[in-house]
Amino acid sequence: MVEWQVSPIWLATTHEESLELCRLWLMSSALQKLIETLGGPPLKNTTDDLVDLVTWSSATLDSRGGGERQAARPIVFAPGRETALIEAAQPLGLMESASPQRSTYDSIVVLGGTPTANHLRSQLAYSVFQSGVSVGAVFGLGAARVLSDAERSDSAYETESEDLEFRLKEQFSDPADQTQPNGHTGDRLSPIPIHSLTAPSSRSPFRADTSDAIRSLIGSTSPRQRGEVLVITSAIY
């Protein structure tokens, strides 16, 4: 039986390889042990048992309930279960990310989030560009989600999409240009094109999700711009 291997981390070159990695991850001994410790249903195969696992996980582990991550209700686990979760992170490949596998990308796509996430993701996108990777353009995919009061303490903008656009231009702007008096980078020059897309939601009244963002990207770009794409989000996602 082929067992899930932590390294290389989630690297696949075809759709079929991606599906096989997912299957191996779901059937891995590390995940089976964790599910058993947390009291979940056994997963003997991904065809028949996956629905039961998803149903149990949604009822037991999903504390978001369709809301934002930062607004999720806390879950207090018993010490043994908490230890099991922490110990499972490494063998399940959740502790590190793979580096970009190509030297050239038609586009870098940065998914939007909180102001902190937007800053870190934009910073990572720029570090990839600075490392010598050739990039045709950068796309920021955000939602028209109004930032919470807590988030506004880290941003001068009203929405996730506006904040992401600012963070990208801040990272990629030419340091020789002077910042505008109001402290915003505005349209400072960038070595490569920066595009900001605000994805419409397909599930009103909820904000646009990642699927909405990808559909927006496809509808707003040419096939050439989507040839080789590097998607940047938070490492744990």
Side-chain angles (χ1 to χ4, degrees), residues 95-159:
M95 297 296 288
E96 54 187 313
S97 299
S99 300
Q101 298 299 295
R102 301 185 183 278
S103 59
T104 300
Y105 289 95
D106 297 300
S107 300
I108 288 181
V109 173
V110 182
L111 301 182
T114 65
T116 299
N118 289 342
H119 171 71
L120 293 175
R121 297 171 190 179
S122 299
Q123 195 174 57
L124 178 56
Y126 185 65
S127 70
V128 169
F129 173 71
Q130 283 287 84
S131 71
V133 174
S134 177
V135 179
V138 175
F139 290 87
L141 295 186
R145 177 182 68 85
V146 177
L147 299 180
S148 66
D149 290 341
E151 291 175 288
R152 288 294 303 278
S153 64
D154 297 322
S155 177
Y157 294 90
E158 292 286 337
T159 68

Side-chain angles (χ1 to χ4, degrees), residues 6 26 30 35 38 55 103 122 137 144 184 208 223:
V6 178
L26 286 166
I35 293 171
L38 296 179
T55 301
S103 59
S122 299
H184 296 172

Side-chain angles (χ1 to χ4, degrees), residues 29 31-32 39 44 111 143 157 171 179 203 236:
S29 57
L31 186 60
Q32 301 302 310
K44 297 180 180 179
L111 301 182
Y157 294 90
Q171 289 294 325
T179 302
R203 50 190 197 116
I236 56 172

Side-chain angles (χ1 to χ4, degrees), residues 17-196:
E17 279 188 71
S18 297
L19 292 178
E20 180 62 9
L21 277 176
C22 291
R23 189 191 68 79
L24 290 175
W25 189 85
L26 286 166
M27 298 302 297
S28 66
S29 57
L31 186 60
Q32 301 302 310
K33 179 181 178 181
L34 178 61
I35 293 171
E36 181 180 356
T37 302
L38 296 179
L43 183 65
K44 297 180 180 179
N45 66 74
T46 55
T47 302
D48 302 322
D49 302 331
L50 193 56
V51 172
D52 290 340
L53 179 63
V54 171
T55 301
W56 167 80
S57 177
S58 299
T60 308
L61 304 177
D62 179 12
S63 62
R64 288 180 61 180
E68 299 299 328
R69 293 186 184 96
Q70 64 270 23
R73 59 178 174 81
I75 296 180
V76 179
F77 291 100
R81 293 187 172 190
E82 184 175 295
T83 300
L85 283 163
I86 294 172
E87 291 179 347
Q90 180 65 42
L92 289 176
L94 302 178
M95 297 296 288
E96 54 187 313
S97 299
S99 300
Q101 298 299 295
R102 301 185 183 278
S103 59
T104 300
Y105 289 95
D106 297 300
S107 300
I108 288 181
V109 173
V110 182
L111 301 182
T114 65
T116 299
N118 289 342
H119 171 71
L120 293 175
R121 297 171 190 179
S122 299
Q123 195 174 57
L124 178 56
Y126 185 65
S127 70
V128 169
F129 173 71
Q130 283 287 84
S131 71
V133 174
S134 177
V135 179
V138 175
F139 290 87
L141 295 186
R145 177 182 68 85
V146 177
L147 299 180
S148 66
D149 290 341
E151 291 175 288
R152 288 294 303 278
S153 64
D154 297 322
S155 177
Y157 294 90
E158 292 286 337
T159 68
E160 170 189 303
S161 185
E162 291 171 334
D163 182 81
L164 177 58
E165 180 180 9
F166 166 73
R167 306 286 177 173
L168 286 171
K169 289 183 176 179
E170 181 181 47
Q171 289 294 325
F172 281 87
S173 60
D174 187 339
D177 288 340
Q178 295 296 313
T179 302
Q180 295 178 7
N182 63 2
H184 296 172
T185 58
D187 294 322
R188 290 166 63 185
L189 295 176
S190 168
I192 56 176
I194 305 293
H195 304 282
S196 178

